[in-house]
Amino acid sequence: MRVLVIGGAGYIGSHVQKQLLEEGFDVAVFDDLSTGSEINLLPQTEFIRGSILDKDALNEAMGRHIDGVVHLAAKKAVGESMLCPEIYAENNICGSLNILNAMAANGVRHIVFSSSAAVYGMPQYIPVDEKHPIRPINYYGYTKAAIEENMRWYSQLGKLNYAALRYFNAVGYAADGSIRGKEKNPQNLMPIIMEAATGKREKFSIFGNDYDTPDGTCIRDYVHVSDLAKAHTLALKKLAADNVSFAVNLGTGKGTSVKEIVDAAEKVIGKKLNYDYAPRRAGDPAILTAGAGLARELLGWQPEYTDVEKIIQTVWNLEQEQN
Ligand code: UDP
C-alpha cells in the first residue's frame, strides 16, 4: 500500500512515516516545511515539497498511485487560532478540503485525519468518550470538527472513507533516536520544560494551581507519539480491509497533572527546574482524559508507554544528544 503522508515532516507526521516504513508501507511525504523539518525524513521516504493550499500540487501528488492518505498538516496553536482565525480557516479548513477534493478527483479512497480532543470543548464528563458532544470552545478545535463533518458527508456520498483520530496530549520522541527534528516555537508543556532544562529559556510557568484536582494543577492524558503513530497504521489497515469510517480517541485513559509532569521531568533530568505558578490559562479544563476503549475495540490499539518518566526520558535523550 502506497501512502501519502501530508505533513509528514512534522512532529507527529515523522513518527507516522517511521511506523509506516517499519510495517512495510511505501511512503511519500508531502510537506511545505513551514514547521516541519527535512531532517525528520527517513532515507526510504519519497519527499514532495508542496503546500495543501496548492491544488495543482496536491492533484499531482495524489495522481502518483496513492492508495491512502494520512493528513497531519495543520496549524495547531490554540491561542493563535483565537487571535488569527483567518490563518486557521485557510490552512486547516481550506487546505483540508483541497485534500479531500484531490482525493475524490484521483479516486484515492482512504484518509486518516489528525483530529484532536479539542473537538469536545469543555468536558461534560470524564473520561471523555466518543459519544461526548462535539462543542469546541476554540477556533482550532472548530477547524478539526468542521473537517470531521466534511469527511462524514464525503463518506456518506460515497467519495471516501475516513478515520478521524482525536489525539489527546502527544509527547515523547521515538526511543531509537531516529526522529531528531524539534518543533520551532513550541507552545506545549513538554518542549517548554525542555527549553527550561537546557537553558534556552530562563524559566516557565505552571498555569494555575487552584483547580479542583489533588495538587491544584490541570490533569491531562499524555500519550507517547510512537503509540499515536501505531494507531495510524492500524487505522489505515482497518479502512482498507473493512471500508468503514470512524472517529476514535487516542489517549491512555490515565491522567497526569502538570505538577506531576514537572516533578517527573526533574527526576529524569536530575536537577531542579526554574518555574513559578501563574494564573490559569484561558480555556483550560481542569481535567481532560480519554475514554480510549473504542480504539482498542476497533483497532486493537494499546499504548505501550504508560509511565511518564519513560516518556520524558525519550525527550531528554534527544535533548542531551543535541546539546
Ligand atoms: N501548561 C503549563 N505551562 C506551560 C504550558 C502548558 O502549565 O508553559 C499546562 C497547560 O495549562 C495544560 C497542560 O500544561 O494544563 C498541557 O498543556 P499543552 O499546551 O501542552 O497542551 P493542551 O492540553 O493545551 O493541548
Side-chain angles (χ1 to χ4, degrees), residues 181-304:
K182 282 191 287 189
E183 290 189 281
K184 299 160 195 160
N185 303 319
Q187 314 252 355
N188 295 108
L189 179 64
M190 191 61 70
I192 285 174
I193 288 177
M194 290 300 147
E195 287 192 350
T198 53
K200 263 187 227 85
R201 80 170 57 217
E202 198 197 320
K203 67 174 180 80
F204 67 98
S205 297
I206 291 182
F207 299 140
N209 61 353
D210 56 352
Y211 285 99
D212 188 13
T213 59
D215 64 22
T217 67
C218 286
I219 292 177
R220 294 287 177 276
D221 187 329
Y222 294 91
V223 51
H224 194 276
V225 67
S226 299
D227 283 327
L228 284 184
K230 176 76 192 164
H232 293 71
T233 58
L234 290 169
L236 267 174
K237 288 177 183 167
K238 178 84 179 167
L239 293 179
D242 296 349
N243 217 36
V244 285
S245 288
F246 55 91
V248 291
N249 289 341
L250 294 182
T252 63
K254 181 181 151 201
T256 308
S257 76
V258 179
K259 181 70 167 68
E260 285 170 336
I261 291 283
V262 173
D263 290 348
E266 287 185 334
K267 213 164 144 200
V268 169
I269 293 161
K271 68 172 183 192
K272 289 279 165 206
L273 293 168
N274 190 14
Y275 66 91
D276 60 13
Y277 287 97
R280 293 179 177 198
R281 189 173 70 173
D284 262 346
I287 306 179
L288 186 60
T289 56
L294 190 60
R296 193 165 47 243
E297 209 178 291
L298 264 183
L299 304 175
W301 181 70
Q302 185 74 53
E304 279 174 23

Side-chain angles (χ1 to χ4, degrees), residues 8-15 17 35-42 172-174 177-184 191 225 315 318-319 321-322:
Y11 169 51
I12 299 177
S14 54
H15 286 87
Q17 158 216 219
T35 53
S37 147
E38 230 167 325
I39 63 163
N40 282 334
L41 299 173
L42 298 172
Y173 272 87
S178 57
I179 305 294
R180 294 174 297 116
K182 282 191 287 189
E183 290 189 281
K184 299 160 195 160
V225 67
V315 189
L318 187 77
E319 290 294 338
E321 191 195 296
Q322 294 185 355

